[in-house]
Amino acid sequence: MATKSPRTLQEAIVRFSDPQAAFEFAVSLRWPGGKVFCPRCGSFKHSFVKTRKLWFCYDCKKQFTVKVKTIFEDSPIGLDKWMIAVWMLISCKNGISSYELGKTIGVTQRTAWFMNQRIRKALHRGSFGTTKLGGGTPESEVEVDETFVGGKAKNMHKDRRNKYDMKGWHHGKTVVQGILDRDLRQVRAQVIPNTSREVLQNEVLRNVKHGTRVYSDNLVSYDKLKEKFVHEFVNHAERYVDGRIHTNGLENFWSLLKRGLKGTYVAVEPFHLFRYVDEQVFRYNNRATKDNPLNDADRFALAMSQIGGKRLTYNELTGKDQSPRHETTGTRETAQEPF
């Protein structure tokens, strides 16, 4: 089976316009080495039905395709369109809106929105709190910062602006915290409920090795970091850089994130924001550098290798499964009420 990724979007369109080539490429990424197993029971005892491009498992007595137990499961959209959608989302620096994607691959805006959200599900690595950044020595440097995502207070109706002022919600904006390892040039970012000392410092403790040199701004919520880390901060009211003490690396990431949110997606529901953060984190961490010259083909192959074991249904996405994290439903990329 062919495993080499196309190098450009044009090559991708030509390659995946052939249903057989798209199928073989998906199989090679789903089951590297060609050893196909049942995604439901893990059995290697099966037979392949060539005319229908599916397998029959002799152990669980069920049929399965390359889409089962992936972000593509139960989707009537062909692999040719799915792969072009993946390619465009991970290669466009500022993302691609559901309207633009729908026009490009010939599906409705609602379908394209659902496809984008499922692809973002695959891009999520879940690295927050699993492995720690830094090296445990003062030479290891990590930046910590947070940003607020949402509409400008001056554009809000007076009653709505006053409501947020009374409740202390930062004018309805959602808080995103980021941690950047300067040595690895890797960033982690996630949506957090607030900027309290407990929330911010707990995330640093979970994600940074003790003894690492941590740089932040002068936010009082970080004042206890010195007990576990070599903590230094810069007062942005006076200066933004004090030697190596700055958070400019994360500021760069925030600018890329907000450029996509404001310029491409225009506005995002707060309860969907974490997926858009995952999308930007994937592109940032897999960008081309002198030490790691990745290209679109490399990012595409990596994204496709992460589709397995992840599922996102429409009911779950829109809150129709009664999930408590959703307050409203709909498929608009617009902001409503905050958390």
Side-chain angles (χ1 to χ4, degrees):
M1 293 186 179
T3 58
K4 185 178 180 181
S5 298
R7 295 173 298 174
T8 64
L9 176 59
Q10 182 184 22
E11 291 183 5
I13 293 173
V14 173
R15 167 81 70 83
F16 302 135
S17 62
D18 179 3
Q20 183 62 27
F23 171 76
E24 291 181 355
F25 186 80
V27 170
S28 67
L29 292 178
R30 181 74 192 281
W31 295 290
K35 294 184 178 180
V36 178
F37 59 86
C38 177
R40 295 190 178 93
C41 67
S43 173
F44 289 90
K45 298 179 180 179
H46 52 71
S47 59
F48 180 62
V49 184
K50 186 176 182 180
T51 56
R52 299 179 61 191
K53 291 184 174 59
L54 56 79
W55 293 263
F56 177 79
C57 178
Y58 293 128
D59 285 342
C60 65
K61 308 299 182 183
K62 293 183 179 180
Q63 297 175 344
F64 65 91
T65 68
V66 71
K67 291 183 177 182
V68 173
K69 300 294 183 180
T70 71
I71 61 170
F72 306 146
E73 186 168 0
D74 288 339
S75 172
I77 306 298
L79 287 174
D80 55 340
K81 293 185 177 181
W82 266 114
M83 291 189 180
I84 296 303
V86 173
W87 184 284
M88 297 188 70
L89 188 66
I90 59 95
S91 62
C92 295
K93 188 175 183 179
N94 295 323
I96 181 169
S97 71
S98 56
Y99 290 92
E100 187 68 22
L101 180 63
K103 290 192 302 181
T104 301
I105 65 176
V107 298
T108 65
Q109 180 271 332
R110 182 187 296 264
T111 297
W113 179 82
F114 188 24
M115 293 174 71
N116 270 345
Q117 300 290 21
R118 293 165 89 169
I119 297 170
R120 293 184 183 108
K121 175 78 171 181
L123 300 183
H124 175 66
R125 296 298 297 270
S127 57
F128 242 89
T130 56
T131 59
K132 292 193 174 184
L133 301 173
T137 64
E139 288 73 27
S140 300
E141 298 175 315
V142 171
E143 297 178 22
V144 179
D145 194 25
E146 66 290 327
T147 191
F148 298 93
V149 178
K152 295 181 178 179
K154 67 178 183 180
N155 295 333
M156 296 181 183
H157 188 276
K158 181 180 178 181
D159 293 340
R160 187 179 184 188
R161 184 169 61 248
N162 291 339
K163 180 184 68 173
Y164 290 144
D165 286 339
M166 289 186 295
K167 294 185 177 181
W169 282 352
H170 305 286
H171 293 292
K173 294 188 178 184
T174 305
V175 189
V176 182
Q177 183 184 27
I179 302 175
L180 172 68
D181 189 315
R182 288 186 180 177
D183 296 329
L184 298 177
R185 298 304 301 167
Q186 298 283 297
V187 69
R188 294 181 184 177
Q190 70 170 4
V191 174
I192 56 176
N194 53 64
T195 58
S196 66
R197 177 184 289 108
E198 180 182 6
V199 171
L200 292 178
Q201 295 193 163
N202 280 346
E203 293 304 328
V204 177
L205 288 170
R206 291 174 56 219
N207 290 277
V208 182
K209 294 179 181 178
H210 292 177
T212 301
R213 188 176 294 274
V214 176
Y215 302 134
S216 71
D217 55 23
N218 63 331
L219 184 67
V220 69
S221 296
Y222 292 123
D223 61 355
K224 300 295 184 181
L225 289 180
K226 59 185 178 181
E227 298 178 3
K228 299 290 184 180
F229 308 95
V230 181
H231 179 222
E232 297 181 86
F233 61 87
V234 59
N235 187 350
H236 285 168
E238 299 176 355
R239 62 176 66 88
Y240 283 90
V241 178
D242 184 6
R244 297 192 62 81
I245 307 173
H246 62 80
T247 59
N248 288 353
L250 276 174
E251 294 293 348
N252 173 53
F253 176 77
W254 297 142
S255 69
L256 294 173
L257 173 65
K258 292 184 178 181
R259 192 176 304 159
L261 293 176
K262 294 179 181 179
T264 302
Y265 303 120
V266 182
V268 176
E269 299 279 4
F271 48 76
H272 290 315
L273 178 60
F274 72 98
R275 297 191 180 91
Y276 294 82
V277 173
D278 290 338
E279 172 194 337
Q280 190 60 53
V281 166
F282 177 87
R283 280 198 296 265
Y284 185 89
N285 288 345
N286 295 286
R287 67 198 185 283
T289 63
K290 292 181 179 179
D291 299 329
N292 193 15
L294 295 174
N295 54 35
D296 289 344
D298 299 323
R299 283 185 286 272
F300 174 72
L302 177 60
M304 288 294 296
S305 69
Q306 298 177 187
I307 64 173
K310 298 177 181 178
R311 181 81 192 281
L312 181 64
T313 65
Y314 191 77
N315 285 344
E316 178 186 355
L317 182 61
T318 58
K320 295 180 180 179
D321 63 345
Q322 305 303 315
S323 174
R325 73 177 300 121
H326 296 85
E327 295 180 2
T328 60
T329 60
T331 59
R332 296 177 301 139
E333 290 171 346
T334 54
Q336 299 293 330
E337 294 298 316
F339 288 113

